[in-house]
Amino acid sequence: MQLQATLKACILHLNLAMIVMRLYVRLTHFSIPSTGAFMLFTSRFDRAAMLAALGMSLAITGALSEAFGADASLLEQAPEPAFDQNRFDNKAATPNWSLIVGAGGIYRPEYEGSDKLEISPVPVVLFTYGEWLKIDPRGISVRAFEHNGFSVSGKIGYEMGRDEDDADRLNGLGDIDFAATIGARAAYTWKGVELYAELDQTIDGSESLIGTFGVEYSAAVTERLILGAGAEAIVANENHMQGYFGVNAAQSANSGLPEYDAEAGLKRVNIKASATYLLTKNWLVRGEAGLGILTGDAADSPIVEEKLQPSASIFVGYKF
């Protein structure tokens, strides 16, 4: 190709020029003694050599320009590699995970059915990976299926249980042990509205089987403010109802409360509202207020002092 021939010619001319320069220096050094005049001459010669080299470089550049102009048609025919914009962007790739760490407090009844409220500190850790893994204060959720807004997830959580030392009303009723739970969740989401149904089985502890059916709605009011609201109904099996609201003969003798049998069924209805405000790109604050209404055999239990169960919480978090 003409371009290759031009490059070879330029290199050959450069080599010949260097050979002539070396011969000239050797001949001059041989015939002229090492005097100040000679040093001045060689110094001038070095500068001249540098100028010559610079001129040679410019000549090569000009030759290459002409060669590119002559071979424009060949260059146009050569396929160009696809431009990879990502190699030149300084923007970091969007992470596929999210982590929020924070702390706050919750104001709620001493136990389910109490008429006394207490404040408890609450650490908050919320981790999500992609669209399928979520870890929050309630446990771990893994999304197994999703299509057109419909999703099915598996869950691993826990049941806090209850201690008879939590309130005076519980003295003599014994403790309900902390236990793990396994469950499933089905949900349908459409334009900020989510309909969901959950089923959770407690392993040991109260051996509860609990079903939750609810609806939630959330919307971004501004770029920083997100509001939400929801309602849910909770049903439970006989083991759960008897464990938390029933009083057997031994418990009646120890506590002074009358015996009471609590049957399976609807035990509670919850309504809630929330607000999340983004203070900065990373910092956020979230508040939530809710009201639980005990129903059925749960509401009629001698353990229950108040059917209405209010709660409020607030926390500050940092998003990584």
Side-chain angles (χ1 to χ4, degrees):
M1 296 174 64
Q2 183 176 354
L3 177 59
Q4 295 178 345
T6 304
L7 289 174
K8 290 180 180 180
C10 292
I11 294 173
L12 178 60
H13 292 159
L14 179 60
N15 289 335
L16 290 175
M18 294 299 296
I19 292 173
V20 172
M21 290 169 59
R22 289 176 181 174
L23 290 175
Y24 185 79
V25 170
R26 289 183 180 180
L27 290 174
T28 306
H29 180 70
F30 178 79
S31 59
I32 300 177
S34 179
T35 62
F38 173 74
M39 294 300 296
L40 178 60
F41 172 78
T42 55
S43 176
R44 292 177 178 176
F45 176 79
D46 290 340
R47 289 196 296 271
M50 292 175 61
L51 292 174
L54 178 59
M56 183 67 70
S57 300
L58 295 175
I60 293 175
T61 304
L64 291 177
S65 299
E66 293 178 1
F68 281 121
D71 289 306
S73 60
L74 296 177
L75 293 175
E76 291 175 358
Q77 295 176 4
E80 295 184 359
F83 181 71
D84 187 2
Q85 182 64 41
N86 293 330
R87 295 179 57 188
F88 297 91
D89 288 339
N90 294 324
K91 297 180 180 179
T94 303
N96 199 31
W97 58 271
S98 173
L99 174 63
I100 298 176
V101 177
I106 183 170
Y107 187 56
R108 62 183 176 184
E110 292 179 336
Y111 68 92
E112 192 172 19
S114 174
D115 62 352
K116 297 180 177 63
L117 303 176
E118 64 179 2
I119 298 177
S120 303
V122 178
V124 176
V125 176
L126 175 61
F127 175 79
T128 59
Y129 186 84
E131 298 292 333
W132 63 276
L133 176 63
K134 180 179 180 180
I135 302 175
D136 60 24
R138 296 177 299 178
I140 301 173
S141 175
V142 178
R143 183 170 296 180
F145 174 80
E146 181 178 12
H147 181 69
N148 291 336
F150 180 76
S151 64
V152 177
S153 304
K155 303 192 303 173
I156 299 176
Y158 58 88
E159 183 182 85
M160 290 297 296
R162 189 182 70 191
D163 293 337
E164 64 176 355
D165 296 335
D166 290 343
D168 294 338
R169 188 80 167 184
L170 302 178
N171 288 334
L173 297 179
D175 298 338
I176 301 175
D177 295 335
F178 176 94
T181 63
I182 58 173
R185 186 177 196 270
Y188 178 75
T189 304
W190 181 75
K191 294 185 178 181
V193 178
E194 182 182 50
L195 302 173
Y196 62 89
E198 299 179 353
L199 189 65
D200 294 283
Q201 173 67 58
T202 303
I203 308 301
D204 293 329
S206 65
E207 297 184 352
S208 300
L209 180 62
I210 298 176
T212 305
F213 307 90
V215 57
E216 286 187 354
Y217 175 75
S218 62
V221 179
T222 68
E223 293 182 355
R224 293 179 177 271
L225 179 61
I226 302 172
L227 298 181
E232 62 183 11
I234 301 175
V235 297
N237 68 346
E238 185 175 353
N239 287 340
H240 178 87
M241 297 294 288
Q242 186 64 25
Y244 283 92
F245 302 102
V247 181
N248 59 31
Q251 291 173 328
S252 177
N254 293 331
S255 66
L257 297 175
E259 294 186 33
Y260 181 77
D261 290 330
E263 301 293 334
L266 178 65
K267 77 152 189 174
R268 180 169 177 148
V269 174
N270 295 326
I271 56 176
K272 60 183 179 180
S274 65
T276 303
Y277 187 76
L278 306 178
L279 299 172
T280 66
K281 179 181 178 180
N282 301 101
W283 287 99
L284 61 91
V285 59
R286 176 181 172 83
E288 183 174 305
L291 178 65
I293 306 170
L294 294 175
T295 63
D297 285 1
D300 297 335
S301 170
I303 298 175
V304 173
E305 299 174 306
E306 178 57 62
K307 297 178 183 180
L308 300 180
Q309 302 286 281
S311 64
S313 64
I314 187 171
F315 89 95
V316 177
Y318 183 86
K319 182 179 183 299
F320 291 88

